[in-house]
Amino acid sequence: MSSSTARGRRSAGTAGRRADLRRLRQRLPVRAATVVDDYERHLASERGLSEHTVRAYVGDVVSMLAFLHGLDGAGETGEAESDGADSGGTNSGEADPGDGRSAGAGSGEPGGPGEPGGLGGLDIGVLRAWLAQQRGEGHSRTTLARRAASARTFTAWAADRGLLAVDPGLRLAAPKAHRRLPGVLRQEQASDVMGASATGAQQEDPVALRDYALLEMLYATGMRVAELCAVDVDDADLDSRLVRVFGKGSKERMVPFGLPAERALRSWLDAGRGALVTASSGAALFLGARGGRIDQRTVRRVVHDAVESVPGAAGMGPHGLRHTAATHLLEGGADLRSVQELLGHATLSTTQLYTHVTVERLKAIHDRTHPRAQ
């Protein structure tokens, strides 16, 4: 199957799930639907979560409330698991929006405890039965762990708003998600990817210059794809080789990048960006072919095509370059805390995933090269 066909099928599957979610959400009782609307605004506005994370958490809540109210199809919604967390899903341990608590109003709001069509009856038994149903439908441990986290976040918020008399999520346990070792490029493969892209940029085609610059920046900084797309021209200090990044929850951090990325950025800004800029470009650092701010799908295509062109390199998207950057930093001697800050991880446990990658590589090198390994 060609890569374009596979991408098309994934896109169609995602669109189908979102359509199912919309239909299920429309079938919720009015009071429950109002609660979902309020919760969505809370996640997006008060907690400042990404669009993908909000969509995933809201989808889980819709599924849970549909199960509560006995609607068919309650277990079939929710976002598909992606290649990590480009999107910010909890698969990689990065997307938990916190405990979801906000100072809220009292029990007179729509959908309060015991009100028909609201959250009355949402207790620990319902939560466990909902997860059990999804486990029976074949959902993975990772998905179940993500949806349990969604439930806990929602019930904490609902209890603080007075929509639940008690928080049943405090008693909800879930299986730990499998921590899959991320696929990464070897250092020579990463060098080949950048070299091939640099060769393409030598003709000074604007799109080729852009693609080379964004590849170098992704690999140099380990940024998430959404963070890269949001970078403005003024966020990149070429003289200091620092870029200001706004991560999850609008948390700001400064990330350094090296000389190759600086050179690629200068070439893009001097000879490429001006050819694509339009009235709609604004301050965006990276632009699409029509002049607007570049979107995540374009970046994913650029990365996938660049990596695919290198013989022996595993297919990956921007999150694969993020994994690669973290792994190469650790292999080069960086400490975990520094890598955590560079990547913008909320907890050190997420960063520790990469130590498993480096350990596995060390074992493989030892087995291959040490005279007493066998």
Side-chain angles (χ1 to χ4, degrees):
M1 182 188 302
S2 69
S3 60
S4 61
T5 300
R7 286 196 298 269
R9 290 187 178 181
R10 286 195 296 270
S11 177
T14 299
R17 280 185 291 272
R18 291 179 183 173
D20 290 342
L21 172 61
R22 285 193 296 271
R23 286 191 290 269
L24 191 59
R25 186 170 178 173
Q26 292 168 356
R27 292 168 55 204
L28 289 174
V30 173
R31 293 188 182 279
T34 299
V35 171
V36 172
D37 292 343
D38 290 345
Y39 183 59
E40 184 173 29
R41 284 191 291 270
H42 162 75
L43 293 176
S45 301
E46 297 180 37
R47 298 205 61 83
L49 301 180
S50 71
E51 179 183 351
H52 180 88
T53 302
V54 171
R55 189 165 55 237
Y57 272 71
V58 168
D60 293 339
V61 169
V62 168
S63 172
M64 180 175 62
L65 295 183
F67 178 83
L68 171 67
H69 292 290
L71 301 180
D72 293 335
E76 300 172 3
T77 62
E79 290 296 295
E81 295 171 45
S82 67
D83 65 350
D86 267 344
S87 53
T90 54
N91 297 352
S92 61
E94 297 182 34
D96 188 347
D99 63 3
R101 297 180 184 275
S102 65
S107 59
E109 298 191 20
E115 292 190 31
L119 304 186
L122 184 59
D123 56 21
I124 185 61
V126 170
L127 297 180
R128 288 171 177 166
W130 171 61
L131 290 176
Q133 180 200 56
Q134 301 205 18
R135 183 171 61 247
E137 292 173 351
H139 290 292
S140 69
R141 288 166 60 94
T142 298
T143 297
L144 293 175
R146 201 281 309 282
R147 293 186 177 178
S150 296
R152 286 191 294 267
T153 301
F154 173 75
T155 58
W157 170 84
D160 278 352
R161 292 285 296 267
L163 305 179
L164 288 171
V166 296
D167 179 4
L170 294 173
R171 300 170 55 197
L172 182 65
K176 290 186 177 180
H178 290 300
R179 304 299 297 274
R180 293 180 299 174
L181 296 181
V184 297
L185 298 173
R186 297 192 303 273
Q187 292 188 25
E188 61 270 21
Q189 289 177 326
S191 179
D192 288 345
V193 170
M194 301 304 150
S197 184
T199 300
Q202 287 177 354
Q203 303 300 318
E204 295 195 350
D205 172 75
V207 172
L209 288 169
R210 179 205 67 190
D211 292 351
Y212 176 44
L214 69 83
L215 284 166
E216 284 283 6
M217 286 298 289
L218 284 171
Y219 178 49
T221 65
M223 277 192 286
R224 301 175 178 95
V225 62
E227 295 170 346
L228 178 88
C229 294
V231 171
D232 289 338
V233 172
D234 291 342
D235 292 330
D237 186 337
L238 299 184
D239 294 329
S240 300
R241 296 210 292 266
L242 291 169
V243 60
R244 180 172 57 182
V245 176
F246 292 92
K248 296 189 174 185
S250 298
K251 293 180 181 178
E252 179 182 337
R253 68 184 190 278
M254 299 297 293
V255 183
F257 54 89
L259 188 58
E262 178 209 335
R263 290 170 176 164
L265 270 182
R266 287 191 186 278
S267 296
W268 156 243
L269 290 172
D270 292 343
R273 188 177 183 276
L276 297 181
V277 72
T278 66
S280 65
S281 299
L285 176 60
F286 292 110
L287 305 177
R290 297 182 179 180
R293 184 181 295 273
I294 197 168
D295 62 38
Q296 296 182 28
R297 288 175 297 180
T298 299
V299 178
R300 290 191 180 96
R301 176 184 53 77
V302 169
V303 174
H304 184 275
D305 291 349
V307 173
E308 196 175 50
S309 68
V310 174
M316 64 177 59
H319 212 69
L321 281 187
R322 178 171 164 86
H323 289 317
T324 298
T327 300
H328 293 175
L329 283 166
L330 289 168
E331 288 179 342
D335 63 271
L336 273 175
R337 285 291 183 187
S338 297
V339 176
Q340 178 190 0
E341 291 183 18
L342 286 168
L343 298 183
H345 286 159
T347 63
L348 191 62
S349 63
T350 304
T351 316
Q352 286 174 331
L353 172 65
Y354 299 108
T355 63
H356 301 306
V357 180
T358 56
V359 168
E360 289 299 318
R361 284 194 173 194
L362 287 173
K363 288 171 61 179
I365 292 171
H366 181 275
D367 291 343
R368 188 171 64 249
T369 60
H370 196 284
R372 307 291 289 180
Q374 302 297 332

